[in-house]
Amino acid sequence: MSAQRTLKRPTSCAGIGLHSGRKVTLSLKPAAAGSGIRFRRSDLGGLEVPAAVNHVGAINYATGLMRDAVRVDTVEHLLAALVSLGIDNVIVELNSPEVPIMDGSAAPFIYLIHEAGVKSLPAPRRYLKIVRPIAISRGDKRIALYPSDHFKVTYSISYDHPLLRHQSRTLRITEETFVEEVAPARTFTFLKDVEMLRQNGLALGGSLENAIVLGETGVLNNALRFEDEFVRHKILDAVGDLALVGYPVIGHLVAHRAGHALHTEFVAKILEETHAWRLVEAPFEAPVLPLATPVKTVVPRLAT
Ligand SMILES: [Zn+2]
């Protein structure tokens, strides 16, 4: 049995919102078994919104949650870090409507969670195990989940840009692979889009400190963290958006040219397709041995 987990102690950090440009303090606080991941706005008297797909709000180049008057934007990188480190229950407290972007990746959140420490709770964790394929497509954008014994992600992207015409990667997501291979990958944007984003009140906190910016032929930042940092970041986004299912998923997620809108639409579809999954308490069910089959034992003959 895998036990649910929370943090050992509270921790916090400060930063700015990528889209709002506003300063924000983020605190992560331990929470009881079964309470899930909840965002709390301290500047709104402690009103909360759970990290669940039925509370998805605005999708503007980032995933937002909304319940009544409570809004929390750009939740995906933090959610990816929390679920990948097996944090089932936590209160995420913010004093502003947007999660800080930090360096544009999930690595600072990994550091924060490690600093707080992780604690097991006396309750079993339930997983959503995919038993039949689920898929949606919108034009050339596709996303699907297939049965698998592990949580794996295959992501592919293609853009009309010399640096990322086509990138594709498959990763089995474990705590270790997420920390090493996915978490450090930063968000990216195109220089030609920056002006349009700003005119729409987005990316106001964006800079080369928190995003890879692609010019006509290369990146404006000094260096990439991985040769295929872009597709790795898309895996990060997908893992974070998939957290809105509310359970860790056991299955193979395959996405092509998707984004937050399609990811979250897909999460809602998963929860509707109840025949395509089961809730299980252990990630791997023990193989059932057919009792009627006699076990043949081969006794090695000793040389005489
Ligand atoms: Zn992202």
Side-chain angles (χ1 to χ4, degrees):
M1 181 196 92
S2 301
Q4 291 185 30
R5 306 209 280 182
T6 188
L7 300 178
K8 256 190 202 146
R9 61 188 81 85
T11 182
S12 66
C13 69
I16 60 163
L18 173 65
H19 293 297
S20 62
R22 285 169 68 169
K23 278 189 193 165
V24 53
T25 300
L26 163 84
S27 303
L28 301 178
K29 299 181 170 178
S35 61
I37 301 172
R38 301 200 319 269
F39 288 83
R40 178 183 290 170
R41 289 276 302 274
S42 63
D43 58 326
L44 295 179
L47 289 175
E48 292 184 349
V49 55
V53 72
N54 53 321
H55 297 300
V56 166
I59 306 279
N60 275 322
Y61 299 89
T63 300
L65 297 170
M66 184 135 56
R67 183 166 76 169
D68 303 325
V70 193
R71 206 184 91 217
V72 177
D73 293 323
T74 317
V75 297
E76 61 272 18
H77 303 162
L78 175 62
L79 286 180
L82 288 169
V83 296
S84 299
L85 297 192
I87 308 298
D88 307 280
N89 307 288
V90 66
I91 292 164
V92 180
E93 198 172 272
L94 300 162
N95 62 353
S96 177
E98 192 177 5
V99 174
I101 189 64
M102 310 310 287
D103 67 351
S105 81
F109 299 130
I110 297 289
Y111 177 84
L112 202 63
I113 296 163
H114 281 158
E115 192 187 54
V118 175
K119 188 174 89 174
S120 290
L121 294 165
R125 173 187 288 150
R126 289 194 293 168
Y127 297 80
L128 189 143
K129 185 172 170 57
I130 302 297
V131 293
R132 291 199 184 95
I134 311 171
I136 51 176
S137 58
R138 297 283 173 269
D140 67 343
K141 301 174 193 295
R142 294 188 301 276
I143 187 162
L145 256 168
Y146 301 97
S148 166
D149 285 339
H150 310 285
F151 177 40
K152 284 193 294 189
V153 180
T154 296
Y155 217 112
S156 55
I157 53 174
S158 53
Y159 289 91
D160 184 18
H161 188 281
L163 262 192
L164 61 165
R165 291 236 181 277
H166 186 80
Q167 286 190 354
S168 180
R169 177 167 281 273
T170 297
L171 267 179
R172 180 178 163 193
I173 308 290
T174 64
E175 200 170 319
E176 292 72 27
T177 60
F178 185 81
V179 169
E180 298 289 323
E181 311 278 339
V182 181
R186 293 163 295 169
T187 192
F188 57 94
T189 190
F190 296 90
L191 183 61
K192 64 180 174 57
D193 295 340
V194 169
E195 200 44 44
M196 177 272 294
L197 287 167
R198 296 228 159 129
Q199 277 169 8
N200 287 296
L202 296 167
L204 300 177
S207 74
L208 293 179
E209 303 295 312
N210 55 32
I212 305 168
V213 180
L214 286 135
E216 295 273 300
T217 53
V219 298
L220 274 59
N221 313 65
N222 287 332
L224 292 176
R225 293 179 179 175
F226 304 98
E227 199 186 336
D228 61 349
E229 188 167 356
F230 310 98
V231 74
R232 289 176 193 243
H233 186 82
K234 296 297 284 189
I235 293 176
L236 197 172
D237 280 342
V239 170
D241 288 334
L242 197 64
L244 298 173
V245 163
Y247 303 96
V249 170
I250 304 168
H252 185 184
L253 183 76
V254 180
H256 174 67
R257 301 202 71 193
H260 297 300
L262 196 60
H263 296 163
T264 51
E265 184 186 347
F266 186 59
V267 169
K269 165 114 172 152
I270 296 167
L271 292 176
E272 279 164 21
E273 304 256 318
T274 51
H275 65 286
W277 48 265
R278 282 187 286 123
L279 291 180
V280 298
E281 285 197 355
F284 314 110
E285 285 166 280
V288 179
L289 292 173
L291 293 173
T293 311
V295 180
K296 274 189 193 167
T297 313
V298 179
V299 181
R301 239 189 293 174
L302 296 173
T304 51

